[in-house]
């Protein structure tokens, strides 16, 4: 997934810090070819929980960017934040005082794994609206003092001057359903990282499914998938945990 990730983000990200969990597949060597990439070892703060260790990382890794960066992105390698004109959009957000830009989530799907030279956000158009993937991955580290992510970053409770856009334009495209074979193998890999607390809490429970159950889910996502280029015509209110009634004026509220 790394070539897809770098191809997508290189045009508008200045510096990357990527956390590695002991990969042996050539990822480190590939990333060494980029001058603006720093690779760090992923340290597990909780021996009995991969998910809680991830949450700790998500909540803390960006804090060193305070006073140094205009924006930070906290994301996974299979999540591509998409806007047709990202730099202009972020410039407009800054001009309008926006400090926190959640992305509307879509579970992207293809029958076959994409070719290496493809740009996923441009070439893979079908995705199922997926509220769990609607995440606060992009924000101003000089305005946000704490993210307080839920497990998986599926929601957040940012502290500081959290100002959301008046209208949601950013998409969070999750590229994991890239063919049934890839999805099955990826689930098997992720299953191996789960620890006792994760299993007890049913965090990552999909990784425990057998191939038949994965195939049923794959076909469901395929049936419900829509053309993301038409996303503005969909009713995505259910996606927006940051638009709930008790936050009706959240884009003008300082947390």
């Amino acid at each position: 997934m790394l070539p897809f990730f770098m191809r997508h983000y290189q045009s508008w990200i200045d510096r990357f810090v990527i956390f590695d969990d002991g990969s042996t597949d050539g990822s480190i060597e590939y990333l060494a070819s980029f001058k603006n990439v720093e690779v760090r070892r992923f340290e597990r703060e909780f021996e009995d929980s991969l998910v809680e260790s991830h949450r700790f990382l998500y909540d803390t890794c960006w804090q060193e960017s305070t006073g140094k960066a205009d924006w930070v992105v906290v994301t996974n390698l299979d999540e591509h934040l998409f806007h047709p004109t990202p730099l202009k959009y972020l410039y407009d957000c800054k001009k309008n005082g926006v400090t926190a830009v959640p992305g509307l989530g879509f579970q992207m799907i293809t029958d076959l794994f994409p070719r290496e030279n493809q740009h996923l956000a441009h070439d893979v158009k079908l995705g199922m609206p997926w509220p769990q993937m609607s995440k606060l991955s992009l924000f101003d580290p000089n305005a946000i003092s704490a993210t307080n992510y839920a497990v998986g970053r599926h929601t957040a409770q940012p502290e500081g001057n959290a100002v959301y856009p008046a209208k949601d334009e950013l998409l969070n495209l999750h590229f994991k359903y890239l063919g049934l074979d890839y999805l099955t193998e990826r689930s098997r890999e992720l299953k191996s990282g789960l620890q006792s607390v994760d299993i007890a809490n049913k965090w990552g429970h999909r990784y425990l499914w057998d191939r038949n159950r994965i195939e049923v889910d794959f076909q469901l996502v395929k049936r419900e998938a829509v053309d993301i280029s038409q996303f503005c015509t969909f009713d995505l209110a259910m996606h927006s945990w940051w638009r709930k009634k008790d936050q009706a004026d959240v884009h003008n509220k300082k947390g």
Side-chain angles (χ1 to χ4, degrees):
M1 294 300 293
L2 278 170
F4 299 126
F5 180 86
M6 297 303 297
R7 184 176 299 119
H8 178 73
Y9 283 106
Q10 274 280 28
S11 65
W12 58 281
I13 297 293
D14 294 321
R15 176 173 178 260
F16 297 81
V17 178
I18 295 179
F19 290 85
D20 175 69
D21 195 19
S23 60
T24 58
D25 59 357
S27 293
I28 304 301
E29 292 78 7
Y30 172 79
L31 291 170
S33 65
F34 296 91
K35 294 182 179 180
N36 61 341
V37 174
E38 177 186 351
V39 178
R40 300 180 185 176
R41 182 61 189 241
F42 169 50
E43 302 292 345
R44 303 197 183 201
E45 293 292 325
F46 302 90
E47 293 184 0
D48 55 1
S49 177
L50 175 65
V51 174
E52 285 287 14
S53 295
H54 279 160
R55 176 161 61 173
F56 179 84
L57 178 66
Y58 298 145
D59 274 333
T60 58
C61 65
W62 58 271
Q63 294 176 354
E64 66 187 67
S65 296
T66 302
K68 300 178 182 178
D70 296 315
W71 300 96
V72 293
V73 172
V74 179
T75 192
N76 293 329
L77 291 176
D78 56 5
E79 296 175 12
H80 294 193
L81 297 179
F82 177 74
H83 188 280
T85 55
L87 289 176
K88 180 181 183 303
Y89 178 61
L90 291 179
Y91 173 83
D92 291 341
C93 284
K94 185 74 71 174
K95 182 175 64 175
N96 293 325
V98 172
T99 63
V101 191
L104 296 171
F106 287 83
Q107 193 73 272
M108 308 306 293
I109 189 167
T110 60
D111 285 322
L112 298 174
F113 193 83
R115 299 185 305 276
E116 186 177 353
N117 63 348
Q118 287 189 282
H119 189 296
L120 297 187
H122 295 159
D123 297 333
V124 178
K125 294 294 188 181
L126 294 180
M128 177 181 176
W130 197 277
Q132 282 189 300
M133 294 307 299
S134 293
K135 301 180 178 182
L136 176 61
S137 300
L138 174 60
F139 55 92
D140 179 351
N142 307 295
I144 303 302
S145 57
T147 42
N148 297 312
Y149 285 121
V151 294
R153 287 185 296 113
H154 296 304
T155 62
Q157 296 180 357
E159 298 177 20
N161 184 19
V163 183
Y164 297 108
K167 177 183 177 182
D168 297 316
E169 298 182 34
L170 187 71
L171 305 185
N172 184 30
L173 308 181
H174 188 212
F175 292 99
K176 192 168 76 170
Y177 284 59
L178 301 179
L180 180 59
D181 289 341
Y182 173 78
L183 178 61
T184 302
E185 176 61 20
R186 184 63 179 145
S187 295
R188 185 191 65 80
E189 291 175 346
L190 293 170
K191 173 185 175 180
S192 66
L194 297 178
Q195 302 300 315
S196 58
V197 172
D198 305 319
I199 295 172
N201 285 286
K202 297 184 178 180
W203 295 334
H205 68 280
R206 290 171 179 267
Y207 308 151
L208 305 178
W209 290 350
D210 62 21
R211 183 180 174 89
N212 289 337
R213 182 66 183 85
I214 291 174
E215 183 172 6
V216 170
D217 183 59
F218 185 89
Q219 295 301 331
L220 170 64
V221 172
K222 187 176 179 180
R223 288 195 302 271
E224 298 293 328
V226 295
D227 184 345
I228 62 164
S229 64
Q230 305 298 318
F231 83 94
C232 60
T233 65
F234 308 143
D235 180 10
L236 296 178
M238 64 177 292
H239 271 44
S240 308
W241 49 264
W242 56 95
R243 304 291 188 199
K244 292 189 181 297
K245 291 182 179 180
D246 60 349
Q247 294 179 314
D249 196 33
V250 74
H251 59 280
N252 291 320
K253 176 183 177 181
K254 295 185 178 181

